[in-house]
C-alpha cells in the first residue's frame, strides 16, 4: 500500500489524544523595510498563528496567508474561517495525525489553512517526545544553505546596494524580484557588478507567453533560474516558455500539491520547484513533493513568505528533508524585523549556513512579552 503521509509508521498509527487548549492569534510585525513585488508591497507581516497547549507543552503553527489575496487566494481571514469551521472539528482524540490529515482531504484547496494547523500538531508531537521536528520526521540535523529575496527597488543603484550587502553577509544565492520595466536592464546591472554570483529572478507571474522574446533576453545573464514568470495558476504555458528559454524555470505560485508537481514534471514546465510548505498544505506534503522531485531529477528549495520566527523555524526544519539541494529563501531575522516574537533568531554563520536550533519541535520559543506587543487579537477555541 502506498503510504498516505511521509511520517514514520509508528507516528502514523499513534492517536493524537486530547489537546487541552487551542487558540488562534493574529500578530502584526513591522518590516525593517517594505517588501515590494510585482503584485504588492507589504510593509508589515500580519500572520494568523495557531497555539496548542497540552500537559504543559505549548506548540505553534503559522499560516503563511497574507491579509490580502495578492500572492495567493487565501487570506488570514479565510484561513481562520476554514480552520475554525472545517479543520478543528476533525481533531478527534482517537485519530492519529495521518487520520486527521485524511479527514481534511474532503476540504478542497485551503492549503495554507491546513498547513498552519498541521504545523502546530507536528510541533506538539515532536515536543511530547522531546525531539526536534527533523528528528521526529527521521532526518538528521544538517547546516542549512541560505538565500535572500530582494524586493523591487526604486532604482538600479539602490538594488546594487542591497545585493552588495547580501553578498557581504555570505548568502549562497541572491534572488531579485523583477516586473515589467524593471527586468533586463536591472538584472544586467547586477550581473555586470557580480559576474560569479548565483543569481535568480522572481516575477510573481508578471509576464505572459507573448513576452517570450523579451524574457529570452535574460538568457545571457546565466541566472540559476527564473521563478514564476507566467500566471500564478499556470502550469502548461510555462512548459511552452521553458522550451524556448535556456534559463531554467522554477514554479512557485502554481504548485499546491504533489499532483501539481507531477503535472509540472511531466509537462517539463520548469527544471526547479520552490516548495513553500505553507503553500502546499504542510510539511508532510512538502516532504513527499521533495521526494518525488528528487526521483525525477528536479532540485527543490524552500521558499519563504516573510514569516515570523515560527514559520521560518519550521521552514528550516523542513530543509533537512532529502531533495532540498538548493539554497532557500531563508534569511536572517534582522533583515525582516527589528524584533521578532521568537528566540533564537536566524543568524548566518560566516560561511552563510544556518544552524538548526537544538530545542524540541520547531526549535524556537515564543517570547510572551513580544507576542503581546505585536498581538492584534487572540481567540480561545477550546
Ligand atoms: O514569491 O517567493 C515569493 C515573499 C512573500 C510572498 C511571495 C514571495 C516572497 C519572497 C520572500 O520572495 C521570501 C522570504 O524572504 O521569506
Ligand atoms: Mg516566488
Amino acid at each position: 500500500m502506498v503510504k498516505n503521509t511521509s511520517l514514520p509508521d509508528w507516528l502514523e498509527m499513534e492517536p493524537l489524544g486530547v489537546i487541552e487548549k487551542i487558540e488562534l492569534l493574529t500578530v502584526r510585525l513591522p518590516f525593517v523595510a517594505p517588501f515590494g513585488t510585482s503584485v504588492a508591497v507589504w510593509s508589515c507581516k500580519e500572520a494568523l498563528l495557531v497555539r496548542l497547549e497540552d500537559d504543559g507543552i505549548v506548540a505553534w503553527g503559522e499560516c503563511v496567508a497574507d491579509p490580502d489575496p495578492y500572492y495567493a487566494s487565501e487570506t488570514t481571514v479565510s484561513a481562520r474561517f476554514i480552520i475554525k469551521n472545517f479543520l478543528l472539528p476533525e481533531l478527534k482524540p482517537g485519530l492519529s495525525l495521518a487520520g486527521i490529515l485524511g479527514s481534511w482531504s474532503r476540504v478542497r484547496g485551503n492549503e495554507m489553512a491546513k498547513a498552519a494547523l498541521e504545523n502546530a500538531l507536528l510541533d506538539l508531537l515532536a515536543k511530547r517526545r522531546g525531539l526536534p521536528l527533523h528528528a521526529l520526521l527521521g532526518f538528521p540535523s544538517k547546516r542549512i544553505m541560505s538565500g535572500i529575496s530582494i524586493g523591487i527597488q526604486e532604482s538600479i543603484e539602490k538594488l546594487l546596494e542591497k545585493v552588495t550587502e547580501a553578498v557581504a553577509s555570505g548568502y549562497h544565492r541572491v534572488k531579485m524580484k523583477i516586473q515589467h520595466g524593471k527586468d533586463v536592464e536591472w538584472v544586467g546591472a547586477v550581473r555586470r557588478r557580480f559576474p560569479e554570483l548565483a543569481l535568480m529572478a522572481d516575477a510573481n507571474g508578471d509576464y505572459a507567453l507573448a513576452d517570450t522574446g523579451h524574457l529570452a533576453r535574460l538568457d545571457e545573464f546565466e541566472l540559476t533560474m527564473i521563478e514564476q514568470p507566467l500566471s500564478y495558476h499556470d502550469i502548461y504555458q510555462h512548459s511552452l516558455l521553458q522550451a524556448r528559454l535556456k534559463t531554467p524555470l522554477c514554479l512557485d505560485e502554481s504548485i499546491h500539491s504533489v499532483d501539481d508537481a507531477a503535472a509540472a514534471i511531466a509537462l517539463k514546465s520548469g527544471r526547479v520547484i520552490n516548495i513553500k510548505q505553507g503553500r502546499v498544505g504542510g510539511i508532510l506534503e512538502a516532504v513527499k513533493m521533495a521526494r518525488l522531485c528528487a526521483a525525477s531529477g528536479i532540485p527543490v528549495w524552500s521558499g519563504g513568505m516573510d514569516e515570523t520566527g515560527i514559520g521560518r523555524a519550521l521552514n528550516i526544519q523542513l530543509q533537512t528533508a532529502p531533495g532540498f539541494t538548493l539554497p532557500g529563501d531563508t534569511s536572517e531575522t534582522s533583515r525582516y524585523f527589528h524584533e521578532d516574537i521568537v528566540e533564537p533568531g536566524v543568524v548566518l554563520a560566516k560561511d552563510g549556513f544556518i544552524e538548526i536550533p537544538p530545542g524540541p519541535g520547531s526549535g524556537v520559543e515564543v517570547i510572551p512579552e513580544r507576542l503581546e506587543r505585536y498581538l492584534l487579537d487572540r481567540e480561545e477555541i477550546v
Side-chain angles (χ1 to χ4, degrees):
M1 199 180 87
V2 179
K3 274 180 58 181
N4 209 13
T5 74
S6 47
L7 284 171
D9 289 329
W10 59 272
L11 191 54
E12 194 152 333
M13 311 299 290
E14 189 169 288
L16 188 71
V18 178
I19 299 172
E20 287 164 18
K21 193 164 161 187
I22 302 175
E23 288 175 287
L24 297 178
L25 303 85
T26 312
V27 290
R28 186 193 287 152
L29 284 72
F31 282 144
V32 168
F35 185 68
T37 69
S38 66
V39 287
V41 180
W42 290 283
S43 55
C44 58
K45 178 67 199 180
E46 187 172 321
L48 173 68
L49 306 177
V50 179
R51 182 184 186 275
L52 308 178
E53 188 175 339
D54 189 54
D55 206 11
I57 295 172
V58 177
W60 293 89
E62 174 169 345
C63 182
V64 302
D66 290 307
D68 55 74
Y70 301 147
Y71 165 81
S73 58
E74 291 184 79
T75 68
T76 41
V77 171
S78 74
R80 169 186 287 263
F81 178 80
I82 294 293
I83 291 173
K84 267 176 80 168
N85 295 291
F86 298 99
L87 304 182
L88 283 176
E90 301 296 336
L91 289 198
K92 315 235 164 80
L95 286 180
S96 67
L97 180 58
I100 291 163
L101 298 178
S103 71
W104 291 350
S105 63
R106 199 148 71 98
V107 177
R108 294 182 175 180
N110 293 286
E111 291 85 8
M112 293 178 173
K114 290 175 183 169
L117 190 48
E118 184 237 42
N119 285 177
L121 292 170
L122 280 172
D123 191 33
L124 177 70
L125 290 171
K127 284 172 173 165
R128 277 180 178 166
R129 285 165 188 78
L131 291 174
L133 184 52
H134 67 81
L136 183 86
L137 298 172
F139 310 133
S141 183
K142 68 174 203 190
R143 302 178 81 222
I144 306 299
M145 285 179 291
S146 67
I148 189 169
S149 173
I150 298 177
I152 303 268
Q153 303 294 315
E154 282 153 37
S155 64
I156 291 180
E157 290 63 47
K158 193 92 196 140
L159 172 63
L160 288 171
E161 227 173 82
K162 294 281 173 201
V163 177
T164 304
E165 276 170 36
V167 170
S169 304
Y171 285 104
H172 296 134
R173 69 100 174 105
V174 170
K175 159 167 138 183
M176 57 181 284
K177 293 287 189 181
I178 56 168
Q179 65 181 31
H180 277 103
K182 293 189 171 183
D183 47 29
V184 178
E185 201 192 332
W186 295 55
V187 172
V190 174
R191 179 48 89 213
R192 271 187 296 283
R193 181 75 61 87
F194 298 97
E196 304 296 327
L197 178 64
L199 178 67
M200 59 174 289
D202 186 359
N204 289 105
D206 203 45
Y207 300 90
L209 209 46
D211 298 314
T212 300
H214 182 69
L215 290 169
R217 293 176 59 202
L218 293 171
D219 273 345
E220 69 168 294
F221 304 123
E222 313 240 356
L223 298 177
T224 58
M225 67 195 86
I226 303 171
E227 185 177 342
Q228 201 77 28
L230 307 180
S231 165
Y232 72 95
H233 63 175
D234 171 76
I235 296 178
Y236 172 62
Q237 293 189 21
H238 279 91
S239 74
L240 304 180
L241 179 63
Q242 180 66 91
R244 308 269 306 275
L245 295 190
K246 207 173 78 198
T247 311
L249 298 185
C250 168
L251 293 179
D252 171 0
E253 281 91 330
S254 53
I255 302 299
H256 293 267
S257 64
V258 168
D259 287 348
D260 284 348
I265 293 166
L267 285 168
K268 298 187 164 53
S269 304
R271 301 191 196 125
V272 185
I273 292 181
N274 165 347
I275 298 184
K276 291 178 181 168
Q277 54 86 14
R279 190 195 70 232
V280 305
I283 289 175
L284 300 181
E285 186 79 4
V287 169
K288 276 200 287 183
M289 191 180 291
R291 198 168 284 155
L292 169 75
C293 289
S296 316
I298 299 284
V300 305
W301 51 281
S302 166
M305 288 292 290
D306 302 322
E307 290 94 337
T308 78
I310 297 172
R312 195 175 333 286
L314 293 161
N315 293 344
I316 288 172
Q317 297 280 338
L318 169 66
Q319 291 174 71
T320 59
F324 286 86
T325 54
L326 295 172
D329 273 346
T330 318
S331 308
E332 291 189 299
T333 304
S334 61
R335 232 233 110 187
Y336 303 93
F337 310 113
H338 291 297
E339 180 180 64
D340 194 357
I341 54 175
V342 309
E343 284 293 337
V346 176
V347 186
L348 300 193
K350 282 223 162 30
D351 56 3
F353 280 89
I354 296 166
E355 312 284 344
I356 304 228
S362 69
V364 296
E365 242 181 281
V366 173
I367 311 298
E369 312 83 76
R370 299 198 204 159
L371 178 68
E372 212 54 52
R373 243 194 302 283
Y374 303 106
L375 194 62
L376 293 185
D377 79 37
R378 180 167 196 158
E379 180 182 12
E380 197 170 319
I381 311 284
V382 181

